[in-house]
Amino acid sequence: MKAVRLERVEKTYPDGTRAVRGLDLALEAGEFVVLLGPSGCGKTTTLRMIAGLELPSAGSIHLGAQDVTELRPSQRDVGFVFQFYALYPHMTVRENLAFPLEATGVARAEIERRVAEVARHLGLEELLAQRPRQLAGGDQQRVALGRAMIRRPAVWLMDEPLGTLDADLRLAMCEFLRARQLEERVTTVYVTHDQEEALRLADRVVVMSQGVILQAAPAAEVYDRPADLFVARFVGSPGMNFLAGEARGARVQCGPHGFELGRELPAGKVTLGIRPEALALDAASPLRGRIVVDEYLGSSRCLHVDTPLGRLVARVAPDAPGTRGEEVGLKLTPGELRAFDATSGRLLA
Amino acid sequence: MSALVVRGLVKRFGARTALDGVDLALRAGEIAVVLGPTGAGKTTLLRTIAGLETPDAGSLELHGRDATHEPPAARDVALVFQNFSLYPGKSVRANLEFPLRAPGRNLPAPEIARRIRAAAEKLAITHLLERDARRLSGGEMQRVAIGRAIVRQPKLFLMDEPLTNLDAKLREALRVELAGLVRELGVPMVYVTHDQAEALSMGDSLHVLSAGRILQSGTPREVYLCPASPAVARALGAPPMNEFEARNVNGLWHAADGTELCPAAPGSPARARLGVRAEHVQPTGGPAEAVVELVEDAGHQKLLVVRFAGTRLHLAVPRASSWKPGDVCRPRLAPEHLVVW
């Protein structure tokens, strides 16, 4: 039995906007699924329907064996954290954290133990006696996350819970969240527009655009074999490079340059995709271009190169040669090329 | 000549000190990026440079003249905020015209039209000029907000996290575009952010601000590779730098729990705090064993989280590597990349 199951779920707003279209999604018990996509893709609407904060226009939602499609939020065993935290203003941080446990009748000693544990992991120990309005935004957000995670509901629902946190805290919180989820094995649906966060956290990444699921697969697969051009561009920072070409057997011809694909394709127009790290500087390569942007990123650099085939971004080592204005040769790593149908955008090989 | 020199800037709000002696210098045509967490004083710094706040101490020089007590209008600087506030119900063109029609500017109409045309072309918003500002996407609004700063042809841009409210993907594209555009215009800029990639990639210089003080100024490379203090190391880089309390025993660094780390350079102190970046730790070849706790997919690479020497160590490995939780590795810290505090 699936822990969460959405079947042909639709959401159409009164103004006619179709936020979610015919969505099918099922989660195994203990699975961590991240809904990833740009604003307006329907990810938050989907999450809110699972929470019961929005009713679907059609379709059904099951939590375990129970059909919850028409149930109120309080009748569903879910814990949620939203980007805009809502804490009880009259309670201290300690009382806010303890509240979900007290409401369900957990023993006093157990409550204290769990509050202490969550406070330690989230760095809230110093703040336990304070009230929400005395806290900075990031601290409030951590309290909201702690309050959701202190309880073990059937499902955790999280909407950009790390939204406004600073970078160093984000990573620590990401790792805490993942470690705790692995430990408790609570089925989790997590919404973000940040592809890095999605890759890092998910057992399965669900990429959405315009109300539909484009791909639902483990992070490595979404990254290595994106289902279509949108996923290829959206996942990865920066996303895949694209080259327009013509398939001829196992080769793809892009202007004067031919690339070996290692697999036969039906003849026709294709778009080749290649990750920035699969492009290497190679003085001997016939594919040449001028470096127009040299971005230092600490552990790597991104060189944006204008070539006759369009602008390509290569990720190179921080101390690799190449400076702005220089002409360089680019080599595509064999085996790292993906081919997409030029019309439908779907992955071919 | 320097475009901007800030010396010993202090700003207090009641009992709270927002800026506590900030120094910052910027040459003509340069981009200075100020990185800091929420509440570090980034916005106050920009507002003080713009003349919207009066400093309690310190001085400010713009293009060689003392501007400490100049009114905002006389400074000829353009501010762009995180929350781009366009006039709703007005067209993009009207929004761009607004700063040029300010009293006292007296620009002839053809000049206004020319500037708007040029800015719109640069920002690729020509097709949006007649559109109502309410009907723009977030990315388009931010382009218009930047356009409003550009048409003024100011002597200095001050940008306060202008990309923060945009989607990650859009931010990535605009980061490259914005830095390129400002360089092309040759107008110096102070750019404030809490975003790692923006901090490392956009500026000629990087200034790490914390609690109203600049902790370090340098090129992005200098600050990334040689952070002046653990606080700087924690502020820059994702994951943040690994840190150890260490003792030097006969030329070998040992962690507090006794684990041998790596050779110490000749002349190293007896005790120190060490820093090493995730990409400067190899999973094999080190002196001590450690267990892999988590393997994180970070796109172009993987991150291993390893229980090692009493801390949780981060290592970057190629994405094709097959490490999994529970595996035993032997972290090797590259001594040449070790930072000793």
Side-chain angles (χ1 to χ4, degrees):
Chain A
M1 189 177 52
K2 305 291 183 184
V4 179
R5 186 157 51 88
L6 287 83
E7 269 179 14
R8 294 188 296 281
V9 168
E10 295 271 341
K11 181 69 190 182
T12 306
Y13 286 105
D15 69 353
T17 312
R18 291 183 71 194
V20 174
R21 315 173 183 212
L23 189 120
D24 289 307
L25 179 67
L27 277 80
E28 300 295 338
E31 197 180 10
F32 196 125
V33 161
V34 176
L35 305 183
L36 171 70
S39 4
C41 73
K43 57 189 192 296
T44 293
T45 304
T46 303
L47 192 80
R48 289 174 60 84
M49 287 192 286
I50 303 173
L53 299 169
E54 308 250 10
L55 285 181
S57 315
S60 67
I61 300 174
H62 285 76
L63 294 182
Q66 195 182 17
D67 183 340
V68 300
T69 316
E70 304 285 330
L71 293 187
R72 281 197 298 273
S74 59
Q75 295 170 299
R76 310 181 183 199
D77 187 16
V78 299
F80 45 77
V81 193
F82 293 111
Q83 191 175 1
F84 304 101
Y85 29 80
L87 298 173
Y88 300 109
H90 59 288
M91 294 184 187
T92 63
V93 169
R94 183 192 303 281
E95 288 160 351
N96 264 287
L97 289 174
F99 184 79
L101 297 178
E102 281 168 352
T104 50
V106 178
R108 192 72 245 165
E110 175 63 9
I111 292 179
E112 270 168 29
R113 193 190 64 76
R114 278 160 71 179
V115 168
E117 190 201 351
V118 164
R120 179 162 48 82
H121 280 296
L122 294 176
L124 297 170
E125 288 155 305
E126 315 280 298
L127 308 175
L128 282 173
Q130 300 203 30
R131 286 185 206 282
R133 66 183 147 71
Q134 297 169 289
L135 304 178
D139 293 337
Q140 292 188 22
Q141 195 141 20
R142 282 188 290 158
V143 178
L145 190 62
R147 195 179 56 183
M149 300 190 68
I150 204 157
R151 203 166 67 85
R152 199 193 175 296
V155 186
W156 274 332
L157 302 174
M158 306 195 176
D159 187 4
E160 314 237 5
L162 311 182
T164 61
L165 291 176
D166 286 321
D168 52 339
L169 264 181
R170 280 184 91 84
L171 184 82
M173 298 268 291
C174 247
E175 285 174 358
F176 165 69
L177 202 152
R178 186 57 169 142
R180 181 143 173 98
Q181 194 270 342
L182 284 174
E183 195 179 290
E184 300 267 349
R185 277 286 160 200
V186 176
T187 312
T188 303
V189 186
Y190 184 104
V191 160
T192 184
H193 68 269
D194 183 335
Q195 54 90 30
E196 265 176 60
E197 216 164 273
L199 294 178
R200 175 167 282 146
L201 286 167
D203 290 320
R204 204 149 49 106
V205 178
V206 174
V207 187
M208 292 182 67
S209 172
Q210 302 185 351
V212 299
I213 293 176
L214 299 178
Q215 186 169 15
E221 195 180 325
V222 169
Y223 192 84
D224 287 333
R225 302 190 53 78
D228 72 0
L229 290 173
F230 179 91
V231 179
R233 193 181 306 123
F234 195 80
V235 175
S237 174
M240 261 193 183
N241 294 291
F242 298 130
L243 305 149
E246 191 88 33
R248 291 177 194 164
R251 278 175 78 76
V252 172
Q253 198 67 34
C254 303
H257 304 280
F259 301 106
E260 210 56 55
L261 206 61
R263 221 199 89 178
E264 294 272 327
L265 283 184
K269 289 198 187 311
V270 296
T271 302
L272 280 184
I274 187 154
R275 292 276 172 208
E277 58 273 22
L279 278 175
L281 294 182
D282 177 5
S285 172
L287 175 56
R288 308 194 67 77
R290 193 169 296 282
I291 300 175
V292 287
V293 177
D294 176 0
E295 276 194 293
Y296 177 68
L297 294 168
S299 60
S300 66
R301 266 158 68 217
C302 278
L303 304 178
H304 301 236
V305 183
D306 275 351
T307 76
L309 303 181
R311 181 171 293 190
L312 298 175
V313 180
R315 187 187 291 278
V316 299
D319 50 2
T323 53
R324 204 164 90 86
E326 198 181 325
E327 200 194 91
V328 291
L330 285 177
K331 197 180 94 185
L332 284 62
T333 311
E336 296 288 331
L337 274 170
R338 301 290 173 264
F340 302 87
D341 185 294
T343 317
S344 70
R346 303 297 296 175
L347 180 71
L348 297 169
Chain B
M1 186 173 51
S2 291
L4 169 73
V5 182
V6 170
R7 284 197 197 89
L9 212 58
V10 174
K11 178 66 194 173
R12 295 188 199 93
F13 296 104
R16 193 171 67 84
T17 303
L19 297 176
D20 194 5
V22 169
D23 296 317
L24 187 72
L26 183 58
R27 279 196 296 268
E30 274 189 356
I31 299 177
V33 176
V34 179
L35 173 74
T38 312
K42 304 190 295 288
T43 299
T44 305
L45 175 61
L46 288 194
R47 288 177 56 84
T48 311
I49 296 172
L52 301 176
E53 303 286 354
T54 310
D56 293 302
S59 68
L60 206 123
E61 235 172 66
L62 283 169
H63 300 281
R65 64 173 203 279
D66 182 2
T68 317
H69 302 290
E70 272 183 4
R75 300 188 185 198
D76 206 3
V77 302
L79 252 170
V80 178
F81 297 101
Q82 179 179 345
N83 297 312
F84 25 90
S85 46
L86 303 181
Y87 297 100
K90 291 210 187 300
S91 68
V92 168
R93 181 186 299 280
N95 269 284
L96 292 175
E97 280 175 354
F98 185 79
L100 301 181
R101 295 195 183 281
R105 278 216 175 238
N106 299 322
L107 281 175
E111 172 63 10
I112 292 181
R114 192 193 62 76
R115 288 196 190 183
I116 288 175
R117 197 164 54 240
E121 262 170 43
K122 279 214 184 341
L123 290 160
I125 53 171
T126 305
H127 63 294
L128 301 174
L129 279 174
E130 310 311 326
R131 188 173 291 183
D132 184 332
R134 276 175 302 202
R135 290 186 44 235
L136 300 175
S137 70
E140 290 165 349
M141 278 193 223
Q142 195 51 286
R143 276 170 206 266
V144 177
I146 292 165
R148 262 203 317 206
I150 289 176
V151 292
R152 289 180 46 192
Q153 303 185 347
K155 294 276 174 32
L156 177 68
F157 285 124
L158 301 173
M159 298 210 187
D160 189 0
E161 311 217 27
L163 309 182
T164 294
N165 285 348
L166 304 177
D167 262 12
K169 266 290 120 167
L170 196 56
R171 217 159 60 206
E172 195 181 287
L174 273 179
R175 164 183 103 208
V176 175
E177 215 179 288
L178 182 58
L181 176 70
V182 169
R183 282 187 199 290
E184 195 186 311
L185 294 170
V187 177
M189 168 163 79
V190 182
Y191 186 97
V192 150
T193 186
H194 71 273
D195 180 275
Q196 303 283 315
E198 289 173 20
L200 286 167
S201 70
M202 289 180 73
D204 300 293
S205 61
L206 175 60
H207 311 263
V208 181
L209 188 69
S210 170
R213 290 169 183 267
I214 301 272
L215 300 182
Q216 187 172 6
S217 290
T219 65
R221 252 169 225 274
E222 283 164 4
V223 180
Y224 183 81
L225 291 173
C226 295
S229 63
V232 174
R234 274 169 227 151
L236 191 64
M241 214 173 208
N242 296 299
E243 290 178 39
F244 301 94
E245 280 303 337
R247 276 178 307 120
N248 177 356
V249 184
N250 303 324
L252 290 174
W253 287 116
H254 287 73
D257 73 343
T259 308
E260 184 185 325
L261 297 173
C262 66
S268 293
R271 284 172 165 280
R273 191 160 186 87
L274 304 181
V276 64
R277 296 253 173 231
E279 63 269 27
H280 297 142
V281 185
Q282 297 290 322
T284 55
E289 287 190 343
V291 176
V292 177
E293 253 187 14
L294 266 181
V295 180
E296 299 180 332
D297 197 314
H300 67 285
Q301 60 184 16
K302 283 182 187 166
L303 285 178
L304 305 185
V305 184
V306 170
R307 196 36 88 203
F308 177 70
T311 66
R312 296 177 82 227
L313 182 75
H314 286 91
L315 296 75
V317 294
R319 70 172 281 104
S321 71
S322 56
W323 291 97
K324 55 184 189 305
D327 285 354
V328 174
C329 65
R330 299 183 78 92
R332 182 183 172 278
L333 283 56
E336 69 276 21
H337 289 295
L338 209 62
V339 179
V340 181
W341 294 299

